[in-house]
Structure formats: C-alpha cells, structure tokens
Amino acid sequence: MIAATIFLVIFVLLGGVVMYLSKTIDHGEARFDASGKVIREPAPTSPGEAKPARRIETNKAETDE
C-alpha cells in the first residue's frame, strides 16, 4: 500500500513538472534563411490564431545559371 502511494505521488509530481515545462519551453519548428540564420517572426496576437505557412523564396535558381 505504501509503495502504491509513493508511486502515485511521484507520478503526480512528474506530471506537474511535464505540464510546467510544456507551458514554459518554446516549441515548434525552426525556420532558417539562405545564410543559415534563424528567422524569428512575432507570435500570433491571440493564442487561438493560426498563421499559414509561407514559402521562403531564395534566388538560388538565379545564381546556379
């Protein structure tokens, strides 16, 4: 009985840590420009607002000729 109680307490504490980290760590996909630098765009104004993906145009085709 004590082992089950200890397990449940550890499980709840671990769940709390996971929830805290999921709220505080920025996650998503990183986007890079042609030079390899990260493109930082401002976050959407409201939490429920989705932003469509955009194609990153480069002039690689022009330089390959």
Side-chain angles (χ1 to χ4, degrees):
M1 182 68 178
I2 293 175
T5 304
I6 292 171
F7 173 78
L8 287 175
V9 168
I10 291 172
F11 186 75
V12 169
L13 290 174
L14 184 62
V17 169
V18 168
M19 292 298 291
Y20 171 76
L21 291 176
S22 70
K23 299 289 182 188
T24 57
I25 294 177
D26 186 25
H27 56 279
E29 97 179 16
R31 297 177 55 190
F32 301 92
D33 62 7
S35 67
K37 294 182 181 177
V38 176
I39 298 173
R40 299 204 180 267
E41 294 182 7
T45 55
S46 66
E49 181 181 343
K51 187 173 184 179
R54 292 185 302 136
R55 179 180 299 272
I56 300 175
E57 300 294 335
T58 62
N59 58 359
K60 183 178 179 187
E62 296 171 3
T63 58
D64 288 343
E65 295 175 346

